[in-house]
Amino acid sequence: MARYIFVTGGVVSSLGKGLSSASLAYLLKSQGYKVRLRKMDPYLNVDPGTMSPFQHGEVFVTDDGAETDLDLGHYERFTNISSKQSDNITTGRIYSDVIKRERKGGYLGKTVQVIPHITNRIKEFIKKDITNEDFVICEIGGTVGDIESLPFLEAIRQFSNEHGKSKTLFIHLTFVPFLKSSDEIKTKPTQHSVKELRSIGIHPDIIICRSQQSIPLDQRKKISLFCNVPIDNVIETVDVRTIYEAPISFFNQKLDKQVLKYFNIKSKRKPNLSPWKKITKIVLNTKKSVNIAIIGKYVNLKDAYKSLDEALIHGGISNKVKINLIRIESDHLKNNEIKKRLKNISGLLIPGGFGKRGTEGKILAIKYARENKIPFLGICFGMQMAIVEFARNELKLKKAGSSELDKKCYPVIGLINEWDKNGEIIKGTDKNLGGTMRLGLYEAKLRNNSAINRIYKSDSVKERHRHRYEVNNNLKNQFEKKGLIFSGMSPDDKLPEIIELKNHPWFIGVQFHPEFKSRPLAPHPLFSSFIKAAKNHK
Ligand code: GLN
């Protein structure tokens, strides 16, 4: 049976449970173990697909088309293990499954309760689809003490009781503040948080203490004493200079060693930290920078484009340049400001998006990048807006638009049945909102000798999608005559997947989200190429 590691958080949120879990997973994987990472989210949405990025940051999409929490993105980037639908669950999903079963009479007349029915369903999730993994790391969202996370904590307590301590380990991540006024490190919040955890029957085996500065031995001893955890299992994590340093830092603090010791197993080999050391060095020492403008609706929220921000940094790493991200709110971008706002820009990126607000500003910016030969990357909605811009200004289709935004427009972007009489609108298994999207991995065939063909060094690619609307393929010839090439198509040749402009140094739009597959240790070729073009832009 796999060994289960449960990661909880205390004191405050945003301590980096996801990053800690991902770093531990890397260290274990790198020592020859098979690892799986899972996330349990306490909110009532069935999945984050319908949540605004303002609320919960980016929606991360997996190969198999699940719309998941952005922490799964961290997991993938650090471990290069592709997450699956079965790796993320929410309270909403658990309740919806239990209630569905109740309606079908699945509980044989019993009173359906949180314990045992909800907790049983959570335990099923924890074990689902696990085959030969050595370790399953399960992160519990939220902070200990929240009402919402109680059923999850109860479920992992039961799980440990049922499977024994030799197969389960509890890690608790807390915050150890430094009080300037008294010049002291304070352990009390940690003590309280552990007390809270113990009151619901969970005794942490390892405590990770997040702190702004190193915690002196005396203070660690105090945590060990009051929280009843061996001193070697009180592990500090001091703020790192770049997140890529995290696996190195946890290795130095012997987190992986203590985990293996707890389970009484030996390391198969030394973990390989040299790639992390290498990129940390690049990130910390790179001086030269490029200005990349990103124009979107959610630019002021830090996590709304998490994977995208990361993918750009990865592209910067492979070109040894820093990315100076200039975030521009699309709402207020007027024609007379475009020139001023984009003056010192070496690359323009229009990311994915939904809905009308701010679209005209994006279209104006794309026109500017096209005419002024500024490298441009359009992702999903960004590509769709590039099509609208070109149709209006070059094909002179003044009414061109996307039917998502204007039902009366001429749909150069539309639901497939709006522009192809045989085209079947995409149907997910779920008929509700969120059930009509093209989600997950789909293949695109790349045209020979196109820019995209050279970038990917391949004739075909599989990338992750998350959209409802498609580029109207009936206009392909008209676009191509004017120099906008449909260089990537779905294998049946019906759906445009990639567009590129001739006579422009770098102008590419993609219907998918390449950012989900970029890794710090393996930057995505599209982002590397885009940043290279930006670096060469004068
Ligand atoms: N709103 C557009 C669609 O549904 C684009 C979605 C996106 O950018 N992810 O097709």
Side-chain angles (χ1 to χ4, degrees):
M1 181 188 159
R3 297 162 194 89
Y4 289 83
I5 301 171
F6 297 106
V7 182
T8 55
V11 185
V12 286
S13 58
S14 307
L15 285 178
K17 263 185 298 170
L19 194 58
S20 309
S21 304
S23 301
L24 175 61
Y26 175 84
L27 292 172
L28 294 172
K29 183 185 170 208
S30 177
Q31 287 170 72
Y33 294 105
K34 188 160 184 219
V35 187
R36 190 78 176 264
L37 282 145
R38 313 206 122 157
K39 175 92 196 277
M40 304 190 232
D41 279 310
Y43 47 76
L44 281 171
N45 303 60
V46 172
D47 61 45
T50 53
M51 259 196 257
S52 155
F54 277 127
Q55 293 278 310
H56 200 70
E58 156 191 285
V59 175
F60 186 78
V61 180
T62 59
D63 278 349
D64 60 359
E67 297 176 281
T68 69
D69 187 82
L70 54 79
D71 269 322
L72 273 79
H74 278 313
Y75 302 165
E76 288 205 6
R77 285 189 284 274
F78 275 78
T79 62
N80 204 18
I81 303 167
S82 289
S83 302
K84 295 191 187 148
Q85 188 109 37
S86 51
D87 290 327
N88 187 203
I89 196 128
T90 68
T91 301
R93 165 82 63 198
I94 299 272
Y95 272 82
S96 131
D97 288 358
V98 168
I99 291 168
K100 243 185 245 154
R101 184 162 162 203
E102 185 273 334
R103 291 289 83 190
K104 285 190 186 147
Y107 294 102
L108 307 172
K110 288 205 183 90
T111 310
V112 181
Q113 293 177 302
V114 174
I115 305 172
H117 302 102
I118 294 294
T119 47
N120 281 351
R121 181 70 193 92
I122 296 173
K123 287 186 284 178
E124 276 169 34
F125 159 74
I126 293 171
K127 285 216 286 195
K128 194 180 168 192
D129 191 24
I130 296 297
T131 47
N132 56 350
E133 280 81 355
D134 298 299
F135 295 100
V136 181
I137 302 178
C138 289
E139 179 189 340
I140 291 100
T143 308
V144 168
D146 298 345
I147 293 177
E148 285 89 349
S149 39
L150 271 178
F152 288 110
L153 297 173
E154 169 60 15
I156 61 173
R157 182 196 68 74
Q158 292 174 13
F159 191 95
S160 173
N161 189 37
E162 285 158 20
H163 297 285
K165 291 300 289 172
S166 66
K167 292 291 178 201
T168 52
L169 162 75
F170 292 115
I171 296 182
H172 190 52
L173 176 65
T174 72
F175 182 52
V176 180
F178 170 74
L179 284 198
K180 237 183 174 171
S181 52
S182 56
D183 196 25
E184 263 182 315
I185 279 192
K186 291 294 188 190
T187 64
K188 192 68 91 195
T190 299
Q191 294 176 38
H192 277 300
S193 176
V194 170
K195 198 168 151 204
E196 183 84 35
L197 201 56
R198 285 166 74 183
S199 74
I200 44 181
I202 295 175
H203 188 111
D205 304 295
I206 292 178
I207 299 177
I208 302 180
C209 305
R210 173 85 189 260
S211 163
Q212 280 138 320
Q213 49 181 271
S214 186
I215 305 170
L217 185 62
D218 273 357
Q219 249 66 19
R220 283 183 42 218
K221 276 190 181 153
K222 207 165 159 190
I223 294 172
S224 159
L225 179 71
F226 282 95
C227 302
N228 207 27
V229 169
I231 179 78
D232 288 345
N233 286 1
V234 178
I235 288 177
E236 68 172 32
T237 168
V238 177
D239 296 353
V240 283
R241 293 168 296 175
T242 140
I243 57 167
Y244 310 123
E245 225 177 359
I248 307 167
S249 158
F250 281 114
F251 174 77
N252 292 339
Q253 293 303 318
K254 306 191 173 56
L255 175 63
D256 55 317
K257 191 174 161 207
Q258 291 309 112
V259 167
L260 292 178
K261 191 171 161 201
Y262 173 91
F263 287 117
N264 213 1
I265 42 180
K266 286 211 161 55
S267 166
K268 293 187 192 173
R269 55 173 185 253
K270 243 187 122 204
N272 180 12
L273 291 168
S274 52
W276 296 108
K277 287 184 183 153
K278 198 172 137 199
I279 63 168
T280 297
K281 212 166 145 191
I282 296 176
V283 169
L284 296 178
N285 296 325
T286 301
K287 298 272 178 303
K288 199 176 154 90
S289 64
V290 287
N291 292 340
I292 303 291
I294 165 164
I295 304 187
K297 260 199 308 193
Y298 315 111
V299 286
N300 293 325
L301 189 94
K302 200 174 124 262
D303 280 344
Y305 301 108
K306 187 75 199 153
S307 297
L308 201 56
D309 295 352
E310 283 291 315
L312 287 166
I313 295 173
H314 306 161
I317 291 174
S318 59
N319 287 289
K320 298 220 169 69
V321 285
K322 262 198 172 64
I323 305 299
N324 183 23
L325 257 193
I326 299 169
R327 300 169 193 269
I328 302 175
E329 201 28 273
S330 50
D331 266 17
H332 314 294
L333 205 54
K334 301 273 171 305
N335 202 6
N336 54 3
E337 296 171 351
I338 295 278
K339 202 171 163 191
K340 199 171 100 214
R341 301 290 294 273
L342 300 184
K343 205 169 78 203
N344 296 319
I345 294 302
S346 299
L348 170 68
L349 194 149
I350 309 278
F354 292 84
K356 193 172 173 59
R357 190 161 66 78
T359 49
E360 293 305 318
K362 292 179 189 177
I363 292 172
L364 288 170
I366 296 170
K367 180 169 186 275
Y368 185 82
R370 179 172 63 78
E371 290 175 346
N372 292 283
K373 309 234 183 285
I374 299 172
F376 165 78
L377 174 58
I379 292 182
C380 204
F381 197 69
M383 160 184 176
Q384 297 178 354
M385 290 307 105
I387 287 281
V388 172
E389 187 278 312
F390 201 83
R392 285 185 192 169
N393 297 318
E394 290 295 307
L395 306 190
K396 304 292 176 212
L397 298 167
K398 288 292 163 221
K399 285 192 142 187
S402 162
S403 64
E404 177 186 1
L405 317 172
D406 174 9
K407 288 285 164 234
K408 290 199 210 98
C409 72
Y410 175 67
V412 284
I413 307 294
L415 295 173
I416 179 165
N417 63 347
E418 289 171 338
W419 52 262
D420 178 3
K421 64 179 179 357
N422 301 318
E424 266 200 50
I425 182 164
I426 292 123
K427 285 195 184 71
T429 45
D430 176 358
K431 297 278 177 306
N432 300 316
L433 195 68
T436 53
M437 291 235 236
R438 197 141 78 100
L439 282 167
L441 275 195
Y442 285 89
E443 189 182 358
K445 297 272 177 223
L446 311 185
R447 189 180 301 182
N448 263 344
N449 290 324
S450 58
I452 200 73
N453 183 216
R454 285 189 292 277
I455 290 169
Y456 275 102
K457 296 191 178 70
S458 168
D459 297 336
S460 120
V461 286
K462 279 192 178 147
E463 291 279 8
R464 297 183 193 175
H465 294 61
R466 181 179 183 241
H467 60 108
R468 238 176 233 114
Y469 296 82
E470 307 279 355
V471 176
N472 182 342
N473 194 28
N474 298 330
L475 300 169
K476 187 175 177 181
N477 287 340
Q478 288 188 54
F479 275 106
E480 297 209 335
K481 253 189 227 144
K482 289 275 184 186
L484 192 74
I485 308 299
F486 290 14
S487 55
M489 294 293 295
S490 59
D492 62 5
D493 226 22
K494 271 197 161 161
L495 303 175
E497 292 272 15
I498 301 163
I499 57 165
E500 59 186 71
L501 200 57
K502 274 190 188 165
N503 305 323
H504 189 289
W506 211 101
F507 188 104
I508 292 178
V510 292
Q511 187 57 83
F512 44 78
H513 291 269
E515 68 271 26
F516 293 140
K517 294 221 308 191
S518 187
R519 311 277 179 257
L521 303 183
H524 193 289
L526 253 181
F527 286 91
S528 298
S529 174
F530 174 55
I531 299 301
K532 189 174 176 190
K535 193 176 157 186
N536 294 336
H537 177 76
K538 283 180 243 317

